[in-house]
Every structure is written in structure tokens, then in C-alpha cells.
Amino acid sequence: MAAAGGEGVEKLEDMIVRAAETTSQHVAAAKTAIGAVIFGQDKVVEQALITVLCGGHGMLVGVPGLAKTKLVEAMGTVLGLDARRIQFTPDLMPSDILGSEVLEEAPGGRRAFRFIPGPIFGQLLMADEINRASPRTQSALLQAMQEQHVTVAGSRHDMPKPFHVLATQNPIEQEGTYPLPEAQLDRFLMQIDVEYPDIEAERRIVFATTGLDEAKAQPAMTADELIAAQRLVRRLPVGESVVNAILTLVRSARPGPDAGDLGQSIAWGPSPRASQSLMLVARARALLDGRLVPSIDDVISMAEPVLKHRMALTFAARAEGETISGIIRKLTSRIG
């Protein structure tokens, strides 16, 4: 009986490994499909896909014209999600994104309120220029991001599954904007910096987008397969050395003795939510790379997008030319 039980355990482990390998292939195919229409932004595509695999939300920061909107559209098609876009403006009200109740009269003369869902009820939401919305509207989106539901007229309305927000910010134009508070920034799993493409990628963009036929994204996964992949990410084993690297890195990014000589440069640092985020993104990066166990290299690679929006430097450090990216690189060099 003991032998039979052992064989059962081995078969179960084999099934889990096969399922993980199949999921890894689906995820890799999704990355390739997105990369077929988004040129020169391999790191952005990888980080955006990792964000969704972790079940989180991402902040895309970059100047206009770098295919941020197209990225979200392509991800919606490739991942089989209902993708929607909201252009945030200062006069946008919470009801404009959440929806509202309208009074309807039935044929018998009876009147009743009916809820009409707003554009936020999609599986993949692009919040374009989120910092242009008023704090009141930002807080309405915050509830949906954090609680996975919204409240309208005292009634709860659940968000669809899965639900992800990819918000954008323009780093060069700050006039007429409402900077996001630290509490809302912390809800974003990663800050994804979208930079200019290199010359070869831009050459490819010019030829691929100005001809008669333009490449279109092709489906590679379904929403159910994505949900299965998100569950798998949370089941991947993490070694003790990786856990220690995550804790050491996050704790050293806070002001205090753990930061050593860099402590005086940090005004405030990441909360334990950053440790949770690093644990998830390290697993998701490993799965995207075809591995079932994350490594310390995964932690180092994902440290900047996870920590960058969760830290602030002192005035003295900024006056001396220090940057948050530079501080994070110094901290990761200690655990490499």
C-alpha cells in the first residue's frame, strides 16, 4: 500500500509539472504575439505581462506616442480579455467611470431604479493619464483596484474576473494634474517606464505601420487560461535564499539601520506590500522564462519597477544628484 501511495504522489507531481509546462508555453506564446505588434519595447511587454500574471495593476510612465494604448489593446486581444479605455480629464466624475442608476417606468406604471454599469467594468482597463482626474475620481478607481468591487447608491457591484488596470502618466507635462497619493501608488504592482525605441526598432515601426497592411494582434490565451496561470504563479515554490534576498532588499530600501550608509538618502521606503509584490513578480518572471523556480536574478531584475514608485529621497540626496534608480541599483548590488 505504501508503494501504491508513493506512485500516486509521483503521478500527482507529474501532472502538476505537465500543467505548469503547458501554462508556461501559453504564456510564452502570448509574449510572442504581443511582441509581433509592439516593436522595440520587449522589457515593457515583459513587465506588463508579468503584472497581469500576478493579478496586479501597472503604471505605464512615458511620453506620448510610445504605443502605450496599443499595448493594452494588443494585450486584450492576445489574452482574450475585454479591454476598455478611459481618458481621464479634470471634469471626469466618479459616476462617469463607475456607472449610475436610472429611474425606469415599467409597463404597469411601476417605477424602479436600474444600474447601468460604466466603462470600468472590463477585464483589462486602460486608465489614460490617470493623474489628470480629480482625487474624488481617483479614489473611486482605487476602490475597484483594491477591493475588486465598487459601491453605487449603497449597492455593491463586483468587478469581472480577472480585473486589471494599466494606468498611464505623462512624465513631462504636469500642469493641470493631480499627483496620485502614495497610498494609491502603492496599489500598483509595478511602475513600468516606457522609453524611446532604438533606431532599428523605430525603422521597423516606420515600415510596419505606414503600409497598406498593418500587423494585428492574434489571440494566444483565453481568460480562463490566464486565471489558471495566475493560480500557478502563486503555487510556484520559492527557495529560502530568494525569500531572504527579497526581505533584505525591501528592508534596506527604508530609512534606518538596514539601509546602511544609504539610510540618510531615503526619506521613506516601501511597505511589506513591496515584499509581497517582489515575491509574485519573481515567480511570474520565472514562469515567463520557462522555469518553475524563481532565482535571485529574478528579484534583482524586477527590483526597480517594483520599488521605484514606493520610495522617496531626501532633499539633501536629490541636491547631490542622487536618483531613486541609482539607489535601487546600489541596494541590489549588495544581494547579487
Side-chain angles (χ1 to χ4, degrees), residues 43-77:
K43 184 181 291 186
V44 173
V45 170
E46 179 184 89
Q47 292 179 1
L49 197 51
I50 287 173
T51 299
V52 174
L53 283 174
C54 294
H57 313 287
M59 174 71 73
L60 298 165
V61 179
V63 300
L66 296 182
K68 296 186 294 294
T69 302
K70 190 172 184 178
L71 170 65
V72 179
E73 291 176 354
M75 288 183 65
T77 301

Side-chain angles (χ1 to χ4, degrees), residues 251-290:
R251 295 182 66 83
S252 65
R254 302 168 184 163
D258 289 335
D261 58 330
L262 298 177
Q264 296 180 347
S265 299
I266 303 171
W268 52 267
S271 71
R273 189 179 279 123
S275 302
Q276 296 170 321
S277 299
L278 262 178
M279 179 78 85
L280 286 173
V281 299
R283 287 167 162 163
R285 186 174 185 269
L287 182 65
L288 193 60
D289 196 36

Side-chain angles (χ1 to χ4, degrees), residues 76-96:
T77 301
V78 170
L79 300 177
L81 303 178
D82 176 19
R84 302 187 180 188
R85 176 177 176 268
I86 301 176
Q87 179 66 51
F88 280 73
T89 58
D91 60 347
L92 196 71
M93 299 298 292
S95 59
D96 294 328

Side-chain angles (χ1 to χ4, degrees), residues 30-201:
K31 181 182 177 182
T32 301
I34 297 171
V37 293
I38 305 296
F39 308 129
Q41 300 288 0
D42 293 343
K43 184 181 291 186
V44 173
V45 170
E46 179 184 89
Q47 292 179 1
L49 197 51
I50 287 173
T51 299
V52 174
L53 283 174
C54 294
H57 313 287
M59 174 71 73
L60 298 165
V61 179
V63 300
L66 296 182
K68 296 186 294 294
T69 302
K70 190 172 184 178
L71 170 65
V72 179
E73 291 176 354
M75 288 183 65
T77 301
V78 170
L79 300 177
L81 303 178
D82 176 19
R84 302 187 180 188
R85 176 177 176 268
I86 301 176
Q87 179 66 51
F88 280 73
T89 58
D91 60 347
L92 196 71
M93 299 298 292
S95 59
D96 294 328
I97 65 172
L98 301 182
S100 57
E101 290 192 324
V102 296
L103 184 62
E104 289 187 335
E105 185 172 342
R110 183 181 177 183
R111 295 181 177 181
F113 283 101
R114 180 170 68 90
F115 176 68
I116 299 179
I120 196 175
F121 287 90
Q123 295 173 313
L124 184 63
L125 176 67
M126 180 178 188
D128 209 356
E129 294 191 288
I130 187 175
N131 56 333
R132 290 199 176 279
S134 66
R136 185 178 178 184
T137 304
Q138 289 179 8
S139 65
L141 180 62
L142 172 63
Q143 182 189 13
M145 290 169 56
Q146 183 66 20
E147 307 297 335
Q148 298 291 308
H149 71 264
V150 297
T151 305
V152 179
S155 299
R156 169 174 169 156
H157 302 277
D158 292 329
M159 307 308 298
K161 302 289 185 182
F163 174 69
H164 306 284
V165 175
L166 291 178
T168 70
Q169 279 194 166
N170 180 355
I172 61 175
E173 189 177 0
Q174 299 301 322
E175 186 176 351
T177 63
Y178 300 87
L180 270 67
E182 286 73 17
Q184 184 158 350
L185 283 173
D186 197 30
R187 261 67 178 187
F188 287 96
L189 184 78
M190 288 196 288
Q191 176 180 315
I192 304 170
D193 291 333
V194 187
E195 300 175 349
Y196 293 110
D198 59 34
I199 186 169
E200 291 304 321

Side-chain angles (χ1 to χ4, degrees), residues 245-259:
I246 291 172
L247 295 176
T248 299
L249 178 59
V250 173
R251 295 182 66 83
S252 65
R254 302 168 184 163
D258 289 335

Side-chain angles (χ1 to χ4, degrees), residues 14-25 232 236 287 292:
D14 290 340
M15 290 175 59
I16 294 173
V17 170
R18 283 197 298 271
E21 290 174 347
T22 301
T23 301
S24 180
Q25 291 172 2
L232 176 62
L236 293 183
L287 182 65
L292 300 183

